[in-house]
Amino acid sequence: MLGGALHSKTQMENMHWSHKHSLVLCFLAMLLIPSLCQSEVTTAVYIVTLRQAPASLYHHELITVGNKSGHGASGKRRTRVHKPRHQNVTKEDKGYGSYFARVHDSLLNKVFKGEKYLKLYSYHFLINGFAVLVTQQQADKLARRREVSNVVLDFSVRTATTHTPQFLGLPQGAWSQAGGFETAGEGITIGFVDTGIDPTHPSFADDKSQHPFPIPANFSGACEVTPDFPSGSCNRKLVGARHFAASAITRGIFNSSQDYASPFDGDGHGTHTASVAAGNHGIPVVVAGQVFGNASGMAPHSHISIYKALYKRFGGFAADVVAAIDQAAQDGVDIICLSITPNRRPSGIATFFNPIDMALLSAVKAGIFVVQAAGNTGPSPMSMSSFSPWIFTVGATTHDRVYSNSLCLGNNVTIPGVGLAPGTHENTMFKLIHARHALNKTTRVAADMYIGECQDGSIFNQDLVKGNLLICSYSVRFVLGLSTIKQALETAMNLSAVGIVFSMDPFVTSFQLNPVPMKIPGIIISSANDSKILLEYYNSSLEIDGDSNKIVKFGAVASIGGGLEANYNNEAPKVVYYSARGPDPEDSLPHEADIMKPNLVAPGNSIWAAWSSVASDSVEFLGENFALMSGTSMAAPHVAGLAALVKQKFPNFSPAAIGSSLSTSASLYDNNGRSILAQRSYPTVDLNLSPATPFDMGSGFVNATAAFNPGLLFDSSYDDYMSFLCGIDGSTPTVLNYTGQNCWTYNSTVYGPDLNLPSITIARLNQSRVVQRTIQNIAGNETYNVGFSAPYGTSMKVSPNHFSLGSGERQVLSVIFNATSNSSAASYGRIGLYGNKGHVVNIPVAVIFKIL
């Protein structure tokens, strides 16, 4: 049944309170004004996991138990849901949800016996547990209960196209094989844990395609109905939408009007990511009155379900994210996309043991493919913010489209810059006037140190500016949002300037400057050095009266080339400087994990996609329907959409099989046939390039069409991941705490290098090591030759070096590594499997410490 409209009160009203009303009032007082109560106590949100298995393991029995519990209808909630054409029917929540909630409430009542507490969520589908606001002492009480396996302090998280379908070759490749864009992704539901969605955007309408959207067969989610997310917001395209903010509410930082207590996106990030993955095909991109082509998601006929757990003003919290993941899995999504990362590296025995990653492990067990952004903390080594081998981690690259702008000076010097703006009249030079030299008689420079930022038009002399180019300063205040390009443009237009030029303050460094829309001719000189050249020319062209020290003539002239036309000759892809890099940190010390991260890279820089109508994340795109954004947040949904295409073609693929098909088919070369390069610094991104390593790009750049025909698969199961976790030294109690399962039930442990991944990473090679991989042929009969290059400081041998497989048959590869020198520097190699029917399987190899 199609997900529908959940009429919910605010989440605070749905929370469970202890039964004493006077205690409730005092508890609220402690939260808001501690001095109103007799003693001050510090409360925090804790995520509690119980030993009993979650509903996903045996929900049929739990439904039976719930129906016989004797609570009748009082334990159930009735909701309204949308049918495809917005007809309302009624539906009952699944019995096991209320069963678990009653178990959790009973435990809390027993433990606290009238003490104050606030339960925020009951988790029941992927994990059996709850989030609760209590004191440290109360958390300790819970931890001592035999029913409780784990108590973890909540932590914060943060958010980490028109042309990329063509750059990825989808129209003639993967879309064509899926029956065309009209059916690409059909029947697959992608769940987005993000900042919500603008349901009014045409990218999410269900009437834009000539091929009707079906009702997704296995999806059973709901659609919240609130004043800003009204009935009818969901349809056959946008099939579900909920929001989660209980942890944020308890901290007193949630504002229902600014943050929208609904799935509606007040930030823009969630709308953008959803449309990158699954937005409708052929939606015109019109920004600032200019047309920038037509937009399409990677899987334009797939379905979208939204789980809003992040907010512009404060990001989000793990308790809310876990609730969102748990709900997505219960709803029956096929793919979960998280363009979010933790604000800090998880503490404890290993980075893998944190509530979000462990919830995602259960999602993978349920057959859900999980995609996560690598993070925007590059280019330093071990800056990765996505850790676990069951999560498909995506880094960001450029693509071949660039919007370049230029300023031609009167001394025949041309300065590059950015700005989605028209140019000045061809072959015409205009006088340059700096804002500091265009003040009216009542304004003194000393009165406002930020006067050059052009934020207040009333202080300028219109007679000086009219018909000329106004120079404004782009300072760190623009980066912080205290000043805006939009306001400077308003100033320039109100003064009748021909155009506007922003010179970069030398103190603004290491900042990614996206091209921004401008309604009049304009340019931002993104380099402080180029800005210096501009200002030196400007100052040298001034004529100043020797007696009065006043400017008597402005001699500098220039013209703006304009930045509306895209250039498609850019060498791409390149791994962008901000994309987080491996090696994968195993713990907070940090030690390197034997897991290769990222898994691969995808377009993430300068991506056009849908934007919320009220989004304030980027002031320059306020009120626009599309925005140009950059980040690994934009790369992850590219892969989520492409994974939907793979899932559509191979519906029985496991999550690991989907990841394998994407990884082994990834490209190692750019559009000129050369090795992919990685940016190593900013702002001189193209002056500090070197060949990308597996810790920069994983298996390489995603190739969706090749992923449709991978030839061989590397598969892994939940039990394999559990054996891996059990193989971490001292992890047995932690595994038990998080999963309720004893490591002794697994016959053998699996170390990181031995996981059946389509890559090999050895953090510490002590003399020698043998690593094995099992591959399965999903194509026709084929014979493969094996080639390899050993990482520096090692020797390597792969056996067999030649094998033949029939369809469905498996082969074990043994790889022997020997250290040939002592080294602590990571080195890289590669294994290639070359089939006589044209299949090429790529296996990246990394070895860090080598010990003779």
Side-chain angles (χ1 to χ4, degrees):
M1 179 177 290
L2 189 68
L6 172 61
H7 284 269
S8 62
K9 300 178 182 178
T10 65
Q11 291 187 329
M12 283 294 289
E13 292 174 312
N14 283 328
M15 296 176 194
H16 172 80
W17 291 83
S18 56
H19 59 280
K20 300 288 186 181
H21 293 292
S22 60
L23 291 172
V24 169
L25 293 174
C26 186
F27 189 62
L28 273 176
M30 287 195 299
L31 289 175
L32 302 174
I33 312 173
S35 60
L36 294 182
C37 288
Q38 292 181 342
S39 62
E40 293 188 14
V41 287
T42 301
T43 58
V45 176
Y46 292 85
I47 301 172
V48 181
T49 309
L50 304 187
R51 297 189 186 282
Q52 182 184 3
S56 57
L57 293 184
Y58 51 94
H59 63 271
H60 293 298
E61 295 131 85
L62 288 172
I63 291 173
T64 303
V65 172
N67 289 338
K68 296 179 179 178
S69 62
H71 290 271
S74 62
K76 301 175 182 179
R77 184 175 73 238
R78 302 182 70 84
T79 66
R80 278 177 49 207
V81 300
H82 284 313
K83 277 201 164 186
R85 294 266 61 92
H86 316 305
Q87 297 171 357
N88 293 320
V89 296
T90 60
K91 162 186 170 180
E92 293 184 352
D93 279 351
K94 294 179 180 178
Y96 52 78
S98 57
Y99 165 79
F100 275 102
R102 290 194 298 273
V103 170
H104 301 161
D105 293 342
S106 175
L107 173 63
L108 288 166
N109 284 326
K110 286 179 184 176
V111 172
F112 297 136
K113 297 177 181 177
E115 294 179 26
K116 299 171 287 293
Y117 69 90
L118 181 63
K119 190 187 79 172
L120 311 184
Y121 296 110
S122 276
Y123 309 128
H124 62 271
F125 195 75
L126 294 178
I127 61 173
N128 176 13
F130 49 85
V132 63
L133 181 69
V134 290
T135 65
Q136 174 69 58
Q137 291 73 23
Q138 288 175 309
D140 293 340
K141 276 187 183 180
L142 279 170
R144 291 193 292 269
R145 293 287 300 196
R146 59 183 177 82
E147 304 99 316
V148 173
S149 65
N150 203 34
V151 178
V152 179
L153 184 66
D154 194 13
F155 57 88
S156 60
V157 298
R158 59 189 172 196
T159 55
T161 108
T162 60
H163 174 64
T164 47
Q166 284 72 27
F167 184 61
L168 293 168
L170 298 183
Q172 293 77 37
W175 283 355
S176 176
Q177 294 184 40
F181 68 82
E182 289 278 8
T183 57
E186 184 171 291
I188 306 300
T189 303
I190 307 175
F192 296 88
V193 179
D194 215 297
T195 65
I197 196 167
D198 182 349
T200 67
H201 200 284
S203 290
F204 312 121
D206 65 355
D207 58 359
K208 299 296 181 182
S209 171
Q210 294 181 1
H211 182 75
F213 281 89
I215 298 174
N218 300 314
F219 185 77
S220 60
C223 191
E224 287 184 23
V225 170
T226 69
D228 46 44
F229 208 86
S231 178
S233 294
C234 287
N235 53 44
R236 293 194 182 201
K237 174 72 173 176
L238 175 57
V239 294
R242 301 173 185 256
H243 87 288
F244 303 84
S247 185
I249 290 170
T250 63
R251 289 167 164 80
I253 60 175
F254 185 86
N255 184 311
S256 61
S257 59
Q258 294 182 35
D259 299 314
Y260 294 96
S262 76
F264 188 82
D265 184 9
D267 177 273
H269 189 273
T271 299
H272 200 276
T273 56
S275 70
V276 169
N280 286 326
H281 181 271
I283 306 302
V285 178
V286 180
V287 174
Q290 303 291 336
V291 179
F292 293 95
N294 293 320
S296 176
M298 301 300 104
H301 216 63
S302 60
H303 307 278
I304 294 169
S305 188
I306 296 299
Y307 304 88
K308 178 180 173 181
L310 283 94
Y311 301 82
K312 172 180 168 50
R313 295 186 311 110
F314 52 83
F317 298 95
D320 296 328
V321 171
V322 171
I325 294 168
D326 192 64
Q327 187 64 58
Q330 180 181 335
D331 290 348
V333 302
D334 299 289
I335 295 165
I336 291 177
C337 181
L338 301 101
S339 287
I340 64 174
T341 57
N343 278 324
R344 57 176 173 81
R345 191 172 289 150
S347 59
I349 192 171
T351 53
F352 321 116
F353 293 112
N354 68 81
I356 293 176
D357 284 35
M358 296 307 292
L360 292 173
L361 175 58
S362 294
V364 168
K365 183 181 183 182
I368 300 169
F369 182 68
V370 177
V371 184
Q372 185 178 23
N376 298 333
T377 48
S380 301
M382 214 185 301
S383 52
M384 188 60 52
S385 299
S386 174
F387 315 108
S388 298
W390 50 88
I391 298 171
F392 201 80
T393 304
V394 184
T397 71
T398 63
H399 54 97
D400 66 340
R401 183 196 61 211
V402 292
Y403 292 97
S404 56
N405 203 338
S406 63
L407 182 72
C408 183
L409 304 179
N411 60 359
N412 293 321
V413 172
T414 299
I415 297 175
V418 298
L420 300 172
T424 52
H425 298 300
E426 194 172 353
N427 300 322
T428 304
M429 290 283 189
F430 295 89
K431 192 181 297 183
L432 287 163
I433 308 288
H434 197 286
R436 289 182 173 274
H437 298 151
L439 303 177
N440 58 34
K441 292 181 180 180
T442 61
T443 305
R444 294 185 306 123
V445 174
D448 186 352
M449 62 184 296
Y450 305 115
I451 214 162
E453 297 173 6
C454 305
Q455 299 297 292
D456 181 4
S458 67
I459 64 176
F460 296 107
N461 183 341
Q462 184 172 9
D463 292 337
L464 278 175
V465 177
K466 184 177 181 180
N468 297 318
L469 293 172
L470 179 64
I471 300 177
C472 305
S473 298
Y474 191 101
S475 75
V476 71
R477 287 166 55 86
F478 284 83
V479 179
L480 298 174
L482 302 175
S483 296
T484 69
I485 292 174
K486 200 160 192 172
Q487 186 56 51
L489 286 168
E490 286 292 320
T491 296
M493 288 188 289
N494 289 338
L495 296 172
S496 302
V498 166
I500 189 167
V501 178
F502 292 92
S503 65
M504 184 64 65
D505 190 301
F507 294 104
V508 180
T509 60
S510 300
F511 176 65
Q512 170 73 23
L513 187 62
N514 284 319
V516 297
M518 303 183 196
K519 292 183 178 180
I520 63 173
I523 185 171
I524 306 171
I525 310 302
S526 50
S527 161
N529 288 333
D530 287 338
S531 296
K532 183 179 179 182
I533 293 171
L534 164 64
L535 296 178
E536 285 177 348
Y537 165 68
Y538 173 80
N539 290 325
S540 68
S541 302
L542 294 173
E543 287 188 22
I544 302 175
D545 180 78
D547 296 328
S548 65
N549 205 32
K550 291 182 178 180
I551 298 171
V552 295
K553 183 180 179 181
F554 296 92
V557 295
S559 64
I560 297 173
L564 297 176
E565 297 297 323
N567 182 337
Y568 296 97
N569 297 321
N570 197 39
E571 183 179 297
K574 296 173 186 171
V575 181
V576 288
Y577 73 94
Y578 55 76
S579 186
R581 312 297 167 94
D584 188 20
E586 183 172 77
D587 51 41
S588 58
L589 291 177
H591 293 112
E592 300 87 348
D594 294 307
I595 305 296
M596 184 165 290
K597 292 289 180 176
N599 292 81
L600 50 65
V601 289
N605 208 59
S606 297
I607 304 299
W608 280 117
W611 199 240
S612 177
S613 56
V614 300
S616 55
D617 183 49
S618 174
V619 175
E620 319 313 336
F621 290 99
L622 184 63
E624 302 287 357
N625 280 331
F626 285 87
L628 193 70
M629 295 284 115
S630 295
T632 55
S633 282
M634 285 69 244
H638 274 87
V639 173
L642 298 176
L645 301 181
V646 176
K647 178 74 172 177
Q648 180 188 18
K649 181 171 182 180
F650 301 104
N652 295 322
F653 267 18
S654 69
I658 295 173
S660 172
S661 67
L662 291 165
S663 296
T664 61
S665 60
S667 175
L668 304 175
Y669 305 101
D670 66 19
N671 52 2
N672 291 323
R674 293 190 282 263
S675 295
I676 293 173
L677 299 176
Q679 298 172 351
R680 300 296 177 190
S681 65
Y682 186 82
T684 56
V685 291
D686 287 332
L687 297 179
N688 196 354
L689 293 166
S690 61
T693 73
F695 287 157
D696 298 320
M697 67 174 183
S699 294
F701 182 73
V702 66
N703 183 341
T705 302
F708 268 34
N709 187 20
L712 302 175
L713 285 184
F714 297 73
D715 208 354
S716 296
S717 67
Y718 173 82
D719 286 348
D720 294 325
Y721 298 132
M722 285 294 293
S723 295
F724 159 72
L725 292 174
C726 289
I728 298 172
D729 190 29
S731 67
T732 298
T734 308
V735 171
L736 179 63
N737 287 345
Y738 268 108
T739 68
Q741 295 177 261
N742 286 297
C743 283
W744 59 262
T745 61
Y746 293 89
N747 294 329
S748 61
T749 55
V750 173
Y751 298 104
D754 302 315
L755 269 175
N756 201 44
L757 304 175
S759 61
I760 298 174
T761 300
I762 301 176
R764 193 175 186 87
L765 177 61
N766 194 343
Q767 296 185 335
S768 65
R769 176 150 197 165
V770 178
V771 173
Q772 291 188 328
R773 290 291 183 271
T774 301
I775 48 180
Q776 182 180 15
N777 181 20
I778 63 165
N781 298 347
E782 194 162 4
T783 298
Y784 284 85
N785 289 314
V786 180
F788 60 87
S789 60
Y792 178 79
T794 73
S795 65
M796 195 167 89
K797 180 182 179 182
V798 183
S799 62
N801 59 13
H802 178 89
F803 59 89
S804 296
L805 289 176
S807 181
E809 291 183 346
R810 290 177 170 82
Q811 174 70 51
V812 176
L813 294 178
S814 294
V815 187
I816 303 172
F817 292 90
N818 288 288
T820 58
S821 65
N822 290 307
S823 173
S824 60
S827 54
Y828 312 99
R830 199 163 296 278
I831 300 171
L833 310 179
Y834 305 95
N836 65 345
K837 300 293 178 62
H839 291 108
V840 177
V841 176
N842 160 44
I843 308 167
V845 177
V847 180
I848 305 176
F849 286 90
K850 279 81 68 174
I851 304 169
L852 282 173

